[in-house]
Amino acid sequence: MSALLRFWPRALPALLGILLRTAVAQAQPEPVKFGQVDKQDLTAAPFAADSAAPAVVLCDFGRSRLKGKGSGLQVVFERVTRIKILKKAGYEAATIEIPLYHRNENHEKVSNLRGFTYNLVNGAVEKTKLEPSGAFVEKRTPNVNVQKFTLPNVREGAVVEYAYTLTSDFLFNFQDWTFQREIPVRWSEYRVSIPVFYKYKIIYQSNQAFAVDKASVGSVGLLVDNKVPSSAGAGAGQTVGTLTITAPTEEHQWVLKDVPAFQAEPYMTTAQDYVARLDFELTGEQWPDEPYQDLTGNWEKISQRLLEQEDFGGRLGRPAFLKEQLAGLATQHPDLTARTAAVRQVVMAAVRYDGTDRYSTTGSLRKAYEAHRGTAADVNLLLIAALRGAGLPAHPLLLSTRDHGRVNQTLPLLERFNYVVALVPLAGGQDLLVDATEPLLPCGTLPERCLNQTGRLIMKNSGEGRWVDLTPAQRHVRYQQVVLTLDAQGGLTGKVHQEHGGYAGADARKELARLGEKKYLADVGRRHESWAVSKAVVSQADHVGKPLALDYEFSQPAEDRAGAAKLYISPLREFGAQQNPFRREARSFAVDFGVPQEETVMVTLTLPAGYELAELPKSATVNLPNDGGRFVYSVLATGAQTVQITSRLSLRNAVYPAEQYAGLRELYRLLLARHGEKLIIQKKAGS
């Protein structure tokens, strides 16, 4: 802002010339007036099309602008939102959370918060006001507070509305706008007014076309402190009254109508990666008669800044409090991978992850060490420091977890990250990615929450930082080998051997740790109500680098003890997926498994004496495009009385684009159809 005051006397004629040569944007009517609800909105008739939804956003209207504050500027965001509650399940739409960022002396603040709930009672509109006591601020993270409130007296059929003003000292954090929610939105409108000397990159995320998309030129008066220039000598820097600056603005208006509810799907990251939204990134400033100043920086500058910060780079020195535990590891483990695993064990024994994801610390690593508990940053920055202390060339790798959202490689923005792991370079250009928050994963395997496509390597030397692919070598592997014996009455006995490998092994070990072995084994029987399970044993639970194994026997008596001429059995039904995870006909965003999948079931079925397979089912093979995956099904008669049934599903990609969704859905449909297919077993002629 000081630059604005410095150049303004000579720049003002040029800016006034711009204003004279352009048409000022006409004031647009507002789509909603706070406190003026339409009585028709309180009846059911207008909402027949949305009857399946728990609530509907009637109108969501926001606008942002800049105003003067002291000798600088701040963002002012105003919002009015009106929502119709259709069902009890929609009551949660009446609870609102507003995130507020703060750092050092700068902060965001909510003011002029007001709200009403409208109910139709005996034909008259009953209006209930949101009282000040109904709103409070909750501390969410060290830099984020949340303003929360719930509109009162909410019933089915009610209309709730609220309005507020948010002021922000962070010009880089120009208010984003989300058009889409988990409930339908009838009308969503956002307007912005940006002085021409600030340049923002505006990013629209959606395939839905705008109902209104207008850009025009306006003007704004900015009231700022009038400071004495530094060149004035005596009194320099002192405030002498105020100064109103008139500047041209870029005016934008965007509207989306009838936005469908966003529905969460299996295998996705955070909803913010997919909903219709606008994002604003401050890229630079352009003052009249002065060169453009790039404010985005670059990844090298971000690396340098991070490494200079005490809560990041300052934590990477050798940890003296682990000196004794690290002593001798270099000699004991000359192999880099083995030494990395040994250091990781030291760190995991010293500090336990508390479930908080951060890339920088909030205190010293010694403090976390003494508490035996810390954030992901405490654990993994200590890991990097310890790896270096053991003579390993470890470097920090920033990433964004799946619930935090994707990273845009073209926009150097540190706030898009929320996690850090270690990278140890190996021979042959290989990277060993190491995390010490999950003891149930082997060294070199990142937690599933971290599998978000790419991370940024932070290096001291310019040009050495790079993007690193986070796709893991490990897969989600589930293998089952089943031996079944069928009797003449249709009863079954069997032995089952299961192996959970890779990420499936980690999931199974977490469940085992949560339930305990006794309940874990008992749960096997509960999943198969008609079975009597016995001799259940878990093995290799402590060997996280190996698959977790489960062996058990079971019996399933026949419902009718008399022998039958024909028996019907679906051997795979109890051992595979029970329903298609892709139930919707279409999907507009990628299927993100995070990790490749592999599921194999092999069943050997022994038929009762005097019986045979009436017909051998046809084998089937289904391939996804570009060798992206395969489903193989086969039934073979391997002896006079034995049949082998094999189902093998292999999904080789971690992520499948939306255009391949139909193929994935069809693959699972065919798999379920084959798993449900009945074998017909009949008595042999003459038996």
Side-chain angles (χ1 to χ4, degrees), residues 477-481 497-500 598-600 602:
V477 180
R478 192 163 181 259
Y479 171 80
Q480 297 181 86
Q481 187 173 25
H497 173 74
Q498 293 182 358
E499 292 184 3
H500 303 267
E598 187 165 312
E599 179 126 5
T600 302
M602 298 181 67

Side-chain angles (χ1 to χ4, degrees), residues 604-616:
T604 301
L605 173 64
T606 299
L607 308 182
Y611 284 76
E612 64 183 357
L613 199 61
E615 182 182 357
L616 198 66

Side-chain angles (χ1 to χ4, degrees), residues 160-224:
V160 299
E161 70 172 351
Y162 59 90
Y164 63 87
T165 299
L166 186 152
T167 53
S168 172
D169 296 328
F170 304 100
L171 293 181
F172 72 86
N173 197 23
F174 198 86
Q175 194 72 31
D176 301 326
W177 184 259
T178 300
F179 296 92
Q180 193 171 22
R181 302 190 183 198
E182 66 281 357
I183 56 177
V185 178
R186 294 278 184 91
W187 183 282
S188 182
E189 178 174 342
Y190 192 40
R191 302 178 189 177
V192 300
S193 175
I194 304 174
V196 295
F197 37 78
Y198 284 116
K199 306 299 178 184
Y200 287 88
K201 182 175 183 179
I202 304 173
I203 305 167
Y204 178 53
Q205 175 182 277
S206 180
N207 294 324
Q208 184 172 348
F210 285 114
V212 177
D213 184 2
K214 293 182 179 179
S216 58
V217 176
S219 66
V220 66
L222 301 170
L223 182 66
V224 297

Side-chain angles (χ1 to χ4, degrees), residues 448-481:
E448 281 194 74
R449 65 179 178 276
C450 297
L451 302 181
N452 203 9
Q453 301 188 27
T454 190
R456 181 71 189 182
L457 182 63
I458 304 300
M459 298 292 288
K460 182 178 180 180
N461 296 329
S462 177
E464 292 185 359
R466 56 185 170 86
W467 292 101
V468 177
D469 186 3
L470 299 178
T471 304
Q474 291 273 16
R475 298 164 297 162
H476 189 283
V477 180
R478 192 163 181 259
Y479 171 80
Q480 297 181 86
Q481 187 173 25

Side-chain angles (χ1 to χ4, degrees), residues 6 40 44 115 119 142 156 201 445 463 517 522 535 573 662 664 685:
R6 185 177 66 251
Q40 185 182 11
N119 287 287
E156 292 185 44
K201 182 175 183 179
T445 301
E517 184 171 331
K535 299 181 180 179
R573 184 185 294 274
L664 269 174

